[in-house]
Amino acid sequence: GWREAALKLLPETPAPGSPVWLDYGVAQALRYNRSPKKALAYLSTRPASPTLDVLRAELLIGTGHAEDGLRVLAPISTQDSPEGFRAAWLLALADLERKNLTEARQRVTAQPRLAQSPTGVELLARVALAQGSKDEASRLYRQIASNSVEARTFLAHEAFAKKDWAAARRWTTELIALMPDQLQLRENLEEIRRASGTP
Protein backbone atom coordinates (compact mmCIF):
# COMPACT_ATOMS: atom_id res chain seq x y z
CA GLY A 1 0.00 0.00 0.00
CA TRP A 2 0.90 3.65 0.33
CA ARG A 3 2.96 3.07 3.47
CA GLU A 4 5.17 0.57 1.68
CA ALA A 5 5.53 2.88 -1.31
CA ALA A 6 6.67 5.66 1.02
CA LEU A 7 9.23 3.40 2.68
CA LYS A 8 10.64 2.32 -0.68
CA LEU A 9 10.90 5.87 -1.98
CA LEU A 10 12.54 7.38 1.09
CA PRO A 11 16.34 7.42 1.33
CA GLU A 12 17.84 4.96 3.80
CA THR A 13 19.41 7.80 5.79
CA PRO A 14 16.88 10.50 6.62
CA ALA A 15 17.85 14.05 5.81
CA PRO A 16 18.76 16.27 8.76
CA GLY A 17 16.13 18.84 9.64
CA SER A 18 13.20 16.87 8.25
CA PRO A 19 9.82 18.11 9.52
CA VAL A 20 8.20 16.39 12.47
CA TRP A 21 5.20 15.31 10.39
CA LEU A 22 7.49 13.43 8.01
CA ASP A 23 9.38 11.70 10.81
CA TYR A 24 6.07 10.76 12.43
CA GLY A 25 4.74 9.34 9.16
CA VAL A 26 7.88 7.34 8.48
CA ALA A 27 7.86 5.92 12.01
CA GLN A 28 4.21 4.89 11.66
CA ALA A 29 4.90 3.26 8.29
CA LEU A 30 7.78 1.34 9.84
CA ARG A 31 5.60 0.39 12.80
CA TYR A 32 2.89 -1.17 10.67
CA ASN A 33 4.89 -2.47 7.68
CA ARG A 34 8.05 -3.62 9.47
CA SER A 35 7.87 -3.74 13.25
CA PRO A 36 7.52 -1.47 16.29
CA LYS A 37 11.20 -2.09 17.02
CA LYS A 38 12.19 -0.73 13.60
CA ALA A 39 10.04 2.33 14.27
CA LEU A 40 11.73 2.84 17.64
CA ALA A 41 15.15 2.51 16.03
CA TYR A 42 14.18 5.17 13.48
CA LEU A 43 12.85 7.52 16.17
CA SER A 44 16.11 7.17 18.10
CA THR A 45 17.83 8.95 15.18
CA ARG A 46 15.38 11.88 15.11
CA PRO A 47 15.37 15.02 17.28
CA ALA A 48 13.04 14.88 20.27
CA SER A 49 9.67 16.62 20.05
CA PRO A 50 6.38 16.12 21.94
CA THR A 51 4.78 14.51 18.87
CA LEU A 52 7.57 12.01 18.36
CA ASP A 53 8.00 11.43 22.09
CA VAL A 54 4.36 10.40 22.48
CA LEU A 55 4.72 7.98 19.58
CA ARG A 56 7.98 6.68 21.07
CA ALA A 57 6.19 6.11 24.39
CA GLU A 58 3.34 4.22 22.70
CA LEU A 59 5.84 2.00 20.92
CA LEU A 60 7.72 1.33 24.15
CA ILE A 61 4.48 0.40 25.90
CA GLY A 62 3.48 -1.83 22.99
CA THR A 63 6.81 -3.67 23.02
CA GLY A 64 6.69 -4.55 26.72
CA HIS A 65 8.60 -1.55 28.09
CA ALA A 66 5.61 0.10 29.76
CA GLU A 67 7.55 1.80 32.55
CA ASP A 68 9.94 3.43 30.08
CA GLY A 69 7.02 4.59 27.94
CA LEU A 70 5.11 6.02 30.89
CA ARG A 71 8.21 7.93 32.01
CA VAL A 72 8.42 9.55 28.58
CA LEU A 73 4.75 10.58 28.78
CA ALA A 74 4.80 12.12 32.27
CA PRO A 75 6.43 15.50 31.43
CA ILE A 76 4.28 15.91 28.31
CA SER A 77 0.97 15.10 30.02
CA THR A 78 0.33 18.56 31.48
CA GLN A 79 1.10 20.48 28.28
CA ASP A 80 -1.87 22.34 26.78
CA SER A 81 -1.55 20.58 23.43
CA PRO A 82 -2.85 17.56 21.52
CA GLU A 83 0.27 15.69 22.64
CA GLY A 84 -0.45 16.61 26.26
CA PHE A 85 -4.01 15.34 25.85
CA ARG A 86 -2.87 11.97 24.49
CA ALA A 87 -0.07 11.58 27.04
CA ALA A 88 -2.44 12.26 29.95
CA TRP A 89 -5.04 9.89 28.48
CA LEU A 90 -2.50 7.07 28.15
CA LEU A 91 -1.20 7.66 31.68
CA ALA A 92 -4.73 7.72 33.12
CA LEU A 93 -5.56 4.45 31.33
CA ALA A 94 -2.42 2.88 32.79
CA ASP A 95 -3.37 4.13 36.26
CA LEU A 96 -6.88 2.72 35.89
CA GLU A 97 -5.52 -0.64 34.79
CA ARG A 98 -3.25 -0.70 37.85
CA LYS A 99 -6.09 0.39 40.15
CA ASN A 100 -4.29 3.66 40.94
CA LEU A 101 -7.63 5.46 40.99
CA THR A 102 -6.59 8.66 42.74
CA GLU A 103 -3.70 9.08 40.30
CA ALA A 104 -5.99 8.42 37.32
CA ARG A 105 -8.38 11.14 38.46
CA GLN A 106 -5.49 13.56 39.00
CA ARG A 107 -4.11 12.85 35.52
CA VAL A 108 -7.43 13.82 33.96
CA THR A 109 -8.07 16.92 36.05
CA ALA A 110 -4.47 18.19 35.59
CA GLN A 111 -4.84 18.17 31.79
CA PRO A 112 -7.30 20.94 30.77
CA ARG A 113 -8.05 19.59 27.30
CA LEU A 114 -8.68 16.09 28.63
CA ALA A 115 -10.73 17.20 31.62
CA GLN A 116 -13.13 19.16 29.40
CA SER A 117 -13.53 16.45 26.76
CA PRO A 118 -15.96 13.52 26.60
CA THR A 119 -12.92 11.22 26.71
CA GLY A 120 -11.81 12.72 30.02
CA VAL A 121 -15.30 12.57 31.50
CA GLU A 122 -15.51 8.89 30.48
CA LEU A 123 -12.28 8.26 32.39
CA LEU A 124 -13.61 10.08 35.46
CA ALA A 125 -16.80 8.01 35.27
CA ARG A 126 -14.75 4.80 35.10
CA VAL A 127 -12.81 5.94 38.17
CA ALA A 128 -16.09 6.63 39.98
CA LEU A 129 -17.38 3.16 39.10
CA ALA A 130 -14.15 1.54 40.27
CA GLN A 131 -14.55 3.42 43.57
CA GLY A 132 -18.14 2.21 43.91
CA SER A 133 -19.72 5.63 43.23
CA LYS A 134 -22.43 4.65 40.75
CA ASP A 135 -24.37 7.87 41.29
CA GLU A 136 -21.34 9.98 40.40
CA ALA A 137 -20.66 7.80 37.35
CA SER A 138 -24.26 8.20 36.23
CA ARG A 139 -24.08 11.98 36.65
CA LEU A 140 -20.85 12.15 34.65
CA TYR A 141 -22.14 9.92 31.88
CA ARG A 142 -25.31 12.00 31.57
CA GLN A 143 -23.15 15.08 30.92
CA ILE A 144 -21.67 13.50 27.80
CA ALA A 145 -24.42 11.15 26.64
CA SER A 146 -24.90 13.01 23.36
CA ASN A 147 -21.20 12.51 22.48
CA SER A 148 -20.31 9.14 24.00
CA VAL A 149 -21.21 5.57 23.09
CA GLU A 150 -19.76 4.46 26.42
CA ALA A 151 -22.10 6.82 28.27
CA ARG A 152 -25.18 5.66 26.36
CA THR A 153 -24.26 2.03 26.98
CA PHE A 154 -23.95 2.65 30.72
CA LEU A 155 -27.21 4.60 30.84
CA ALA A 156 -29.05 1.89 28.88
CA HIS A 157 -27.87 -0.76 31.37
CA GLU A 158 -28.73 1.48 34.30
CA ALA A 159 -32.24 2.14 32.95
CA PHE A 160 -32.81 -1.57 32.35
CA ALA A 161 -31.71 -2.41 35.90
CA LYS A 162 -34.14 0.21 37.25
CA LYS A 163 -36.92 -1.08 34.95
CA ASP A 164 -37.14 2.34 33.36
CA TRP A 165 -38.18 0.82 30.05
CA ALA A 166 -38.70 4.09 28.21
CA ALA A 167 -35.16 5.28 28.97
CA ALA A 168 -33.69 1.84 28.27
CA ARG A 169 -35.46 1.76 24.89
CA ARG A 170 -34.34 5.30 24.04
CA TRP A 171 -30.66 4.73 24.84
CA THR A 172 -30.61 1.37 23.08
CA THR A 173 -32.33 2.78 19.99
CA GLU A 174 -29.73 5.56 19.84
CA LEU A 175 -26.95 2.98 20.10
CA ILE A 176 -28.46 0.94 17.27
CA ALA A 177 -28.56 4.06 15.09
CA LEU A 178 -24.84 4.57 15.76
CA MET A 179 -23.84 0.90 15.44
CA PRO A 180 -26.41 -0.86 13.26
CA ASP A 181 -24.17 -3.90 12.75
CA GLN A 182 -24.11 -4.75 16.48
CA LEU A 183 -26.66 -7.57 16.68
CA GLN A 184 -26.43 -7.68 20.48
CA LEU A 185 -28.08 -4.26 20.64
CA ARG A 186 -31.06 -5.57 18.67
CA GLU A 187 -31.32 -8.49 21.08
CA ASN A 188 -31.18 -6.01 23.98
CA LEU A 189 -34.04 -4.02 22.44
CA GLU A 190 -36.10 -7.19 22.07
CA GLU A 191 -35.38 -8.06 25.71
CA ILE A 192 -36.56 -4.60 26.76
CA ARG A 193 -39.74 -5.10 24.72
CA ARG A 194 -40.41 -8.47 26.41
CA ALA A 195 -39.60 -7.17 29.91
CA SER A 196 -41.79 -4.08 29.50
CA GLY A 197 -44.67 -6.05 27.98
CA THR A 198 -45.02 -3.58 25.13
CA PRO A 199 -45.24 -4.36 21.42
Side-chain angles (χ1 to χ4, degrees), residues 108-127:
V108 175
T109 56
Q111 169 44 251
R113 292 184 186 217
L114 184 59
Q116 296 167 14
S117 73
T119 302
V121 177
E122 285 174 353
L123 285 169
L124 292 175
R126 287 186 216 169
V127 169

Side-chain angles (χ1 to χ4, degrees), residues 25-156:
V26 171
Q28 288 286 44
L30 287 167
R31 175 188 197 177
Y32 293 115
N33 284 37
R34 300 293 184 273
S35 72
K37 287 184 180 178
K38 294 260 187 192
L40 276 168
Y42 174 80
L43 288 173
S44 71
T45 70
R46 311 316 300 147
S49 73
T51 300
L52 297 183
D53 288 345
V54 170
L55 179 55
R56 184 179 292 112
E58 290 182 35
L59 291 165
L60 286 167
I61 292 166
T63 55
H65 303 281
E67 291 305 320
D68 293 336
L70 296 174
R71 271 194 296 278
V72 172
L73 293 172
I76 303 169
S77 66
T78 55
Q79 294 177 10
D80 186 11
S81 65
E83 294 84 359
F85 177 104
R86 187 157 182 83
W89 175 69
L90 289 166
L91 287 165
L93 284 177
D95 285 329
L96 263 174
E97 191 175 304
R98 297 171 178 193
K99 307 286 189 239
N100 297 333
L101 303 178
T102 302
E103 290 86 344
R105 184 184 297 274
Q106 288 170 348
R107 299 271 189 209
V108 175
T109 56
Q111 169 44 251
R113 292 184 186 217
L114 184 59
Q116 296 167 14
S117 73
T119 302
V121 177
E122 285 174 353
L123 285 169
L124 292 175
R126 287 186 216 169
V127 169
L129 283 173
Q131 292 175 328
S133 303
K134 285 189 177 179
D135 289 343
E136 182 187 359
S138 180
R139 178 184 62 76
L140 289 165
Y141 277 133
R142 284 179 191 285
Q143 288 176 14
I144 58 167
S146 62
N147 298 311
S148 167
V149 168
E150 181 178 320
R152 289 176 182 159
T153 302
F154 173 87
L155 294 169

